[in-house]
Amino acid sequence: MSGGSRTTALLPGRLSAFLRRDFREALTYKFSFLSSFVGILLSSATFYFVAKLVPPGTPSLGPFGGDYFSFAVVGVAFSSLLGMFQEGLSAVIRSAQVSGTLEALLVTPTSIPTVLFGSSLYSLLLQVFRTLLHLGVALAFFGMTLGRVNGPGVLFVGVLTVLCFLGVGVLSASFILVYKTGNPFGWILGTVSGLLGGVVFPVALLPPWIRWVSSLLPVTYALDGMRKSLLASVGFAEILPDIAALAVFNIILLPASLLAFRLAVRKAKKDGTLSHF
Amino acid sequence: MNPNPAILAENLVKRYPVFRGFRDLVRRPFERRTTTALDGLDLRVERGRAFCLLGPNGAGKTTLIKILATLVLPDGGRASVDGHDVERQPGPVKNAIGYAINDERSFYWRLTGRQNLEFFGALYGLRGPARDRKIDEVLRLTRLEAAADLRFNAYSTGMRQMLAFARALLADASILLVDEPTRSLDPQAADRIGSFLRGELVEGKGKTVFWATHDLAEAAEFAHEIAVIGRGRIRLQGTVASLTGEGRTSLRQVYEKAVGDPPVSR
């Protein structure tokens, strides 16, 4: 019988198979969700008490509603989410290389981008859920206050940010395919963004000689736009600069990352190291 | 009926870059050193055959199989599977092959055998009742029905190898690539695998099984045809009877003459 007679499944069927696989595996690790929930509670409590040191109405917090706790929760929750988009794809490649499943996935007639995205889908969705849970816990138990939420702003900033960080994620995955470890994109962006991207303090507090670095980081615009949309009751026009900056990052990163991935797959196949670790 | 051979390789060349230390990279940054795995290999495998590729460790067996499975790109020559070029048409090649990967790490250990097959079945484009029927069929064929709902980590080595065949058969492909399927199995389990590959798959289902091994007894017992690979080239190809002159010389002598190394005995 020829292979050509095989039933063709749509992309959602394949992606749902990845989700089911990872959900079934996660069910066998019974305490992972509980530990994640406890981590969110502890992080929220930490910033709740740190916020008591920062008086309400601090000028640098003015553009974001003025409350440090809300500022920090949005920063920490969303930077974790962005970190997952940035690191998740390379992490699944690395995990499949180390666990030995990568070749078995790549000899199936499922495309490599589908394998890459499908393998990370569960982690990405779980991190979205954790981010919402983080905000929910902060709202329900620690008195976080939202402004008049700018829905379209949240949507635009959210989508552009996710695409942008997926681009970085694909670049990282390309690096891991060829060099196996030591992903510089994740390391540089992750470390530098934590300090200079406005995650737990406003960028305005940085000395001017280094503040320009913040303007090169997508996380700066992502968090600025998201905080203004959630906390500061601003209109769409006021977040347009953030949206424009994120759009520029996307125009550069998305085609560059797809090209890098194609070249990386070809190089790994040429070197015979696709599944090496 | 497809007129193309199941597998065709012409003047196939593969060279791997040699790992270089830091000091060497600093001293000679632009030098490129390679080791040759395939050195102008020619091979033709007809359909519906149990074909054994015999050769010592490092002869190029796994490299050839990985090129045929589209996991490695050749550096020269060409190879086709089911008439499709492995480099230019990887999609149709993947549709034509089932690759029984001989690595127990290629499964999800915390899932059951059936759950593993459900996942890989979806990647092979199967879904719904058709997928469930196919899984039942391959579990029956590999005699794993009773163990289907056990976690993979509870399987014996032989069961894991059979599950690798079950996974490769999900594809319903006409060509099965198998790399040293009896490695680390006891002689009885190895015989069962050999009988399964030739009896059930080739003679029962009309598939082509391309089977790499360094075990002479296994090849002599189960293969319709044998090729001996040594230093990246096919040294001999034919039936056991033709290669041994209808038994006038032993397969071991033929093999040793071809590759210059003693074979592995079981």
Side-chain angles (χ1 to χ4, degrees):
Chain A
M1 188 184 291
S2 132
S5 65
R6 190 176 309 160
T7 314
T8 51
L10 296 171
L11 183 63
R14 296 183 187 208
L15 293 181
S16 72
F18 279 103
L19 277 179
R20 205 163 37 247
R21 175 201 70 182
D22 290 336
F23 182 65
R24 281 169 163 169
E25 281 208 311
L27 282 181
T28 69
Y29 295 101
K30 295 186 173 48
F31 290 101
S32 73
F33 182 77
L34 184 66
S35 62
S36 156
F37 182 70
V38 170
I40 285 170
L41 270 180
L42 293 178
S43 162
S44 297
T46 304
F47 283 103
Y48 175 78
F49 290 110
V50 170
K52 290 188 178 298
L53 297 170
V54 184
T58 300
S60 60
L61 294 173
F64 310 107
D67 171 38
Y68 178 71
F69 178 67
S70 306
F71 176 94
V73 166
V74 172
V76 171
F78 281 95
S79 68
S80 302
L81 179 64
L82 302 183
M84 178 55 78
F85 277 86
Q86 186 177 295
E87 299 279 347
L89 301 182
S90 54
V92 296
I93 290 270
R94 181 81 188 133
S95 161
Q97 283 171 336
V98 173
S99 71
T101 52
L102 190 60
E103 281 194 349
L105 297 172
L106 296 182
V107 293
T108 67
T110 298
S111 70
I112 296 180
T114 306
V115 167
L116 180 65
F117 185 63
S119 296
S120 53
L121 190 57
Y122 179 81
S123 306
L124 298 178
L125 291 178
L126 189 63
Q127 193 58 44
V128 169
F129 175 72
R130 281 191 189 129
T131 301
L132 295 175
L133 186 67
H134 202 148
L135 296 177
V137 164
L139 283 164
F141 302 115
F142 294 96
M144 177 184 172
T145 51
L146 294 178
R148 192 180 65 252
V149 174
N150 178 344
V154 171
L155 189 68
F156 267 84
V157 171
V159 169
L160 286 173
T161 302
V162 162
L163 288 176
C164 180
F165 278 79
L166 274 178
V168 179
V170 173
L171 276 179
S172 302
S174 310
F175 189 90
I176 291 295
L177 263 181
V178 176
Y179 297 103
K180 314 303 169 194
T181 186
N183 158 28
F185 303 103
W187 185 83
I188 292 170
L189 273 174
T191 313
V192 176
S193 297
L195 177 65
L196 304 177
V199 176
V200 291
F201 58 85
V203 171
L205 294 181
L206 290 167
W209 61 267
I210 201 169
R211 204 180 302 156
W212 65 272
V213 179
S214 304
S215 65
L216 301 178
L217 300 171
V219 70
T220 306
Y221 304 97
L223 292 180
D224 191 73
M226 195 54 81
R227 282 184 178 122
K228 284 176 176 165
S229 300
L230 284 174
L231 308 175
S233 306
V234 301
F236 196 74
E238 288 173 72
I239 55 164
L240 271 178
D242 293 317
I243 288 176
L246 288 170
V248 170
F249 279 117
N250 273 306
I251 288 167
I252 297 166
L253 275 174
L254 289 180
S257 62
L258 292 176
L259 177 66
F261 191 71
R262 271 180 55 187
L263 294 174
V265 169
R266 184 164 179 84
K267 175 155 177 58
K269 283 189 172 187
K270 264 289 186 202
D271 292 349
T273 61
L274 202 52
S275 61
H276 289 189
F277 59 94
Chain B
M1 179 82 180
N2 189 333
N4 296 302
I7 293 167
L8 185 66
E10 293 170 325
N11 197 24
L12 201 59
V13 174
K14 183 66 208 169
R15 296 188 193 95
Y16 291 118
V18 174
F19 176 78
R20 297 169 63 197
F22 183 71
R23 186 183 300 175
D24 193 29
L25 277 172
V26 171
R27 280 185 184 160
R28 288 176 284 270
F30 302 109
E31 188 180 279
R32 182 173 157 81
R33 257 180 262 156
T34 58
T35 178
T36 301
L38 299 181
D39 187 16
L41 179 141
D42 294 302
L43 181 69
R44 183 184 175 98
V45 179
E46 298 300 341
R47 295 171 174 279
R49 314 279 280 169
F51 190 101
C52 264
L53 182 67
L54 265 173
N57 294 333
K61 302 187 295 293
T62 299
T63 293
L64 178 58
I65 284 196
K66 288 194 174 184
I67 288 175
L68 297 175
T70 77
L71 292 169
V72 169
L73 289 172
D75 292 312
R78 62 180 292 272
S80 64
V81 175
D82 205 27
H84 306 294
D85 188 279
V86 294
E87 195 167 359
R88 289 195 298 270
Q89 301 168 291
V93 169
K94 287 179 184 181
N95 278 323
I97 59 163
Y99 179 19
I101 296 175
N102 181 22
D103 183 352
E104 56 190 22
R105 296 185 314 124
S106 68
F107 285 98
Y108 298 96
W109 283 48
R110 298 179 75 88
L111 301 185
T112 66
R114 186 186 298 278
Q115 287 171 340
N116 269 287
L117 295 180
E118 284 173 1
F119 170 66
F120 283 104
L123 300 195
Y124 279 113
L126 296 166
R127 56 182 183 160
R131 183 195 61 186
D132 296 340
R133 278 196 302 275
K134 189 70 196 174
I135 289 172
D136 288 340
E137 180 194 327
V138 298
L139 285 170
R140 206 166 38 249
L141 199 61
T142 51
R143 299 188 179 93
L144 285 173
E145 293 149 297
D149 296 311
L150 293 178
R151 273 195 191 177
F152 182 76
N153 58 17
Y155 280 27
S156 67
T157 307
M159 289 160 78
R160 288 171 184 171
Q161 183 59 62
M162 290 309 271
L163 195 69
F165 291 131
R167 176 173 62 187
L169 292 169
L170 285 173
D172 211 8
S174 55
I175 300 160
L176 201 70
L177 306 176
V178 188
D179 193 3
E180 299 192 17
T182 57
R183 188 175 62 190
S184 71
L185 291 183
D186 64 61
Q188 287 87 354
D191 279 345
R192 276 198 300 277
I193 298 270
S195 302
F196 168 75
L197 289 174
R198 173 148 176 175
E200 301 272 356
L201 300 187
V202 179
E203 286 161 7
K205 300 240 167 219
K207 294 185 186 296
T208 306
V209 174
F210 184 76
W211 176 350
T213 182
H214 54 195
D215 190 321
L216 286 184
E218 184 178 296
E221 189 171 353
F222 298 111
H224 288 115
E225 197 174 349
I226 288 173
V228 177
I229 184 172
R231 294 180 296 280
R233 285 184 182 202
I234 298 298
R235 303 286 164 183
L236 292 169
Q237 183 175 345
T239 61
V240 175
S242 69
L243 294 176
T244 58
E246 303 295 338
R248 283 191 294 276
T249 179
S250 73
L251 187 58
R252 173 183 288 264
Q253 287 169 319
V254 171
Y255 176 95
E256 283 180 1
K257 195 171 170 193
V259 302
D261 283 325
V264 171
S265 296
R266 195 168 75 214

